[in-house]
Amino acid sequence: MTSSPRFQPARAAGRRRYRPADHSSVVFHGGFWQSWTETVRNVTIPTQHKRLEEEGFLEVLDFDKPAGPLVRPIQPSGLSMQHFFDSDFGKWIEAASYTLKAHPNAALETKIDAIVEKLEKGQMADGYLNSWFIRREPGRRWTNLRDLHEMYSMGHLLEGAVAYYEATGKRRFLDVMVRAVDHIIATFGAEPGKLRGYDAHEEIELALVKLYRVTREPRHLKLATYFVDERGRMPSYYDEEARKRGESPDDYVYKTYAYSQAHMPVRDQHQVVGHAVRAMYLFSAMADLSHENDDPTLKEACDRLFDNLVSRQLYVTGGLGPSASNEGFTREFDLPNETAYAETCAAVALGFWSHRMAQVDLDSKFTDRLETVLYNGALSGISRDGEHYFYENVLESHGQHRRWKWHYCPCCPTNIARFITSLGQYFYSTDDHELAVHLYGTNSAELTVGENFVRLIQETQYPWDGDISLRFAVERPSRFQLRLRIPGWCRQAQISVNGVAVDLDQCVTKGYAAISREWRNGDEVRIGFSMPVERIYAHPAVSEDGGRVALRRGPVVYCIEETDLGGEPQRLRLPASEEISARYDAVLLGGATVLEGSALEADISDWQNALYRTAPPSLKERPFTAIPYHLWANREPGAMAIWLQEV
Amino acid sequence: MTSSPRFQPARAAGRRRYRPADHSSVVFHGGFWQSWTETVRNVTIPTQHKRLEEEGFLEVLDFDKPAGPLVRPIQPSGLSMQHFFDSDFGKWIEAASYTLKAHPNAALETKIDAIVEKLEKGQMADGYLNSWFIRREPGRRWTNLRDLHEMYSMGHLLEGAVAYYEATGKRRFLDVMVRAVDHIIATFGAEPGKLRGYDAHEEIELALVKLYRVTREPRHLKLATYFVDERGRMPSYYDEEARKRGESPDDYVYKTYAYSQAHMPVRDQHQVVGHAVRAMYLFSAMADLSHENDDPTLKEACDRLFDNLVSRQLYVTGGLGPSASNEGFTREFDLPNETAYAETCAAVALGFWSHRMAQVDLDSKFTDRLETVLYNGALSGISRDGEHYFYENVLESHGQHRRWKWHYCPCCPTNIARFITSLGQYFYSTDDHELAVHLYGTNSAELTVGENFVRLIQETQYPWDGDISLRFAVERPSRFQLRLRIPGWCRQAQISVNGVAVDLDQCVTKGYAAISREWRNGDEVRIGFSMPVERIYAHPAVSEDGGRVALRRGPVVYCIEETDLGGEPQRLRLPASEEISARYDAVLLGGATVLEGSALEADISDWQNALYRTAPPSLKERPFTAIPYHLWANREPGAMAIWLQEV
């Protein structure tokens, strides 16, 4: 395995810059994430390739064959060809690549190489690369950045190329994509003679930063910076290109460029608007560029937008973007449960953004949300068997929602896959003097703090239990600061080093406890996060949750499913005084802690045929079991609810 | 004014058949409906014609000019031409015609005549009449009954023609439409050589019954009967015609013919499904045909479907069809409030159906729903000024809903207009021996019971008050049975005749009190319906209304608007013990009874920037005023709710 260059973070006066752990150096040898990462590696990655084959995706890249009709149903899912399908190869290659270093797999590499070969063969002489426009509509290339996702597709190929290069050291895919990027540089930019465009579906920006961190070529960073700076400049490029196409800009189907966060310059934006995935990808790039360019104005914009998101527009699961009509945001506090769009991709991408923010500003307000999506609104997007998915992650159902094997817009499966196969990077960050622990879960990690090599063994039943052991193996005694995230949900934390309690009142900054000492081989940090069952209430402006309560324990949000209750959970009324207990159920879907209690159920037996009446429903007692939300819809289909009425 | 023939109901052994009052013989000389009927006659009818002009609708009928592009935006509302716009002339002519007998208006007749002239000129030699297909796509006529609404449009023209003929005695429009119907008879039917089709958007069926009641031509009734009997026969005609067009039936955008109630024969249908307006128009025709053909099987089907609707699928306002995606029904008990589609047309059409059912089976379960839509879910579709509309009648808003002047699919304005201009017919029915009073409100009516001419003066502040006086003026003493509806909402009713109490325990059948006597000039019936404020609860399976309560007084459902409350009503918690009082407010939007009380409001002042927290919201007292739902959105825009949380 060739080792690949990793980026070195810049360092500004008074500011820390962290770098994430190399995902491949973190091994989940037990606990919660072991089975998930194994399932994704052993089931998800191969079955996704199978789906790509079955659904005719691989034919998309048969550049030497006739392209077939523009729109044709492909069996068996009935999907039609779409112009952004290249992105799905990119994401699948990326997800697969993340498994290769720790688990070499020649057969998997052969599959990736076959795709790369097709892409290389199809790339145009000038570097342009997009299977749809090369094969089907060559005359339309670069005529409609507003609607056609050309750079979005290239961005995902680029992320895949970087990941494959880093995993294998093979340059072929990376070289193809560098040529494609050079073609974009030749075409777009602020310089005279270039088009001043930028893609309406953000993605290329963060991919270019990833490329820059491998190549250290200033032109790669410059292009990303140009796209972010240019975005939202008025008069809009999208108006101009629409007129060039002979169309009226007023006919834009989404009516406002806020759909693509292109309604004003990014630094002026205060409210998170539009398509949720686009927003998260843009903000991830902005966080990256604030880091790489040492640009506080982007960080400030990100801070404002992050606060807006988490204080007004985020589901308790970490899901985001309530509306199907724009796959995104509507008005503040609009968080309907049963019609929640809350796309898996958006939750995953909030993980990306939160994580990037924490590298620039180590604050648990960011990593708390990374943890929330990880255990809830993103993980709910994949089934326990690893081969069924949700695109929309509703918070309530009457049983009409089913996980599917594949989707007409299959962006989510590969997104959750790449999130999980690269999970290690989200657990730890380091710089020259610090080691930050963001997430908890059994794993062993190999990390570099400055010049020091550190092996860290984390043992815990987390998230089912708040007791965590961190054991250090160091080559020689090493002085550095350990930063431990105290989760926002935790009201009582205890930390000891080699049995000596740490005074948390003295050492917690922005939600991270700092322990600075000379670490020696065998040192052990023990953490106890008190993890009672908690009742969560939503801001009264969230009218869908008025009078309702959600149950959470640690980072895990719970739901009640009809299959456990024997009735619709929507009919329950949870007494405010009810004690709810937690119990580990080793049998349930690979093992999970469930919550148990008793509630009142609105009786339907005395309603005869009435739909309305003047007497309130009578209530009768019913015991209930709540399961982690991320495990819902893995058994018999039925109703589900997170927010329960409280009486 | 020429008097026109009116139909004489058939009479089967043991069954009564009622005929509605002639709408023009009922005059609202005061009370609730006086100002509404005057507003619709003086504002709505003329402004709708103005909209038709402004929006370029009248050009639709310029058969001698080039048709212009298939799809073009028309200023100022930005709407595009649609292939069913003929229906809007039909409905507008119908609504206008209903005003002409009582309020002759030569200028209005001239406007109608101008439209009729255009239609006559454009009609094809074989009788076919549809401006879209004649002018724009002649090759496509009768190729797609599933999607193109040809008979729907003709049906509305036919209803307009019948109404105009009945109002004026002018035959020209009626003759045009009889020729169109003869063309349909020549084209469609079960006879060899004819197409066995039927329109997917029901409407022609009930229009044909109206025509038959004027012409008494058996072929008109036969065609209506054929369409209803043929509906849903398998294999489907829609499959066949799709294949003829070279399309796969599987590509049908709505996936199931249940969308058009064409998934099975109508007599086999048990659940109300699909597009709500289509369903109501079909069922109206089924009720009519059960009447005309003395067909109990259609009545039985209607009974089943009516029960399904009112016990599982009807909003408390009488709105129906919760979903925008199919403009119709989803699953039973799915009655979301803020996303309620509840199209005005559907509520109006439920009024049509309920009213028709009552003519065959005098049961207040039907007329109760007629009253519900009249005072709530249909009337909410028109503004108090008579020239702004709702298409969707939501039961809850965060202020995003606004009434509009016109709509890209302007079916609702003319529908509510024709409902109100013909309102008199819904108040009374007669047969040879009975006079049934379905609705209450000040009016004077001239009715014929058998051979007897009866003038009836109803005086009341209803719906603001439950005291009603009915005074009779008869030429000579007349024996007949008076049937008075005891509203389903009423728990305490008193009726007296000339001061002598009637024993209601002895004389109420199916919600109607029967008083049989020889009625003399000056006889007075006094009615007292106790009208307290009531709390309404929804069946626990309606999860959106769980833990919530609605307020109703008499037939009027109430809502709370932000403009009165000074905050979002969604944040209120109404204590179960709170006494709510009623007060007539003479100033409010022409005068209305409002409800007043005090509730608790979830405080937002102590939430800082949190979206979720572990402490429930604190509650503070806030007085509230609730207004009749039908009056909402006539003042400052803001949030609104019918269903309030109860504590």
Side-chain angles (χ1 to χ4, degrees), chain B residues 581-596:
Chain B
S581 59
R583 176 177 65 82
Y584 184 74
D585 180 341
V587 174
L588 178 73
L589 295 164
T593 293
V594 299
L595 308 184
E596 293 171 331

Side-chain angles (χ1 to χ4, degrees), chain B residues 1-2 45 49 92-93 96-117 163-173:
Chain B
M1 212 51 54
T2 319
I45 299 294
H49 189 271
W92 179 77
I93 291 174
S97 296
Y98 292 142
T99 69
L100 285 174
K101 249 184 168 171
H103 300 87
N105 183 333
L108 187 56
E109 279 193 45
T110 303
K111 287 192 173 101
I112 296 172
D113 289 337
I115 295 172
V116 170
E117 191 179 330
Y164 193 53
Y165 167 68
E166 290 197 313
T168 63
K170 294 184 190 171
R171 290 201 60 101
R172 190 178 186 185
F173 192 13

Side-chain angles (χ1 to χ4, degrees), chain A residues 310-311 314-316 331 398 491 535 537-540 543 546-547 570-571 604 607 609 611-616 645, chain B residues 310-311 314-316 331 398 491 535 537-540 543 546-547 570 604 607 609 611-616 645:
Chain A
V310 303
S311 67
L314 193 65
Y315 283 102
V316 70
R331 59 178 172 77
H398 284 83
R491 315 198 145 217
R535 290 180 185 237
Y537 302 88
H539 190 288
S543 51
Q570 288 87 348
R571 299 214 309 270
I604 57 171
W607 280 75
N609 221 19
L611 184 52
Y612 302 102
R613 72 182 193 191
T614 52
Q645 288 182 52
Chain B
V310 302
S311 68
L314 192 64
Y315 283 102
V316 71
R331 58 177 173 78
H398 284 83
R491 314 199 147 217
R535 290 179 186 239
Y537 301 89
H539 190 288
S543 51
Q570 288 87 347
I604 56 171
W607 280 75
N609 220 19
L611 183 52
Y612 302 102
R613 71 182 195 191
T614 53
Q645 287 181 54

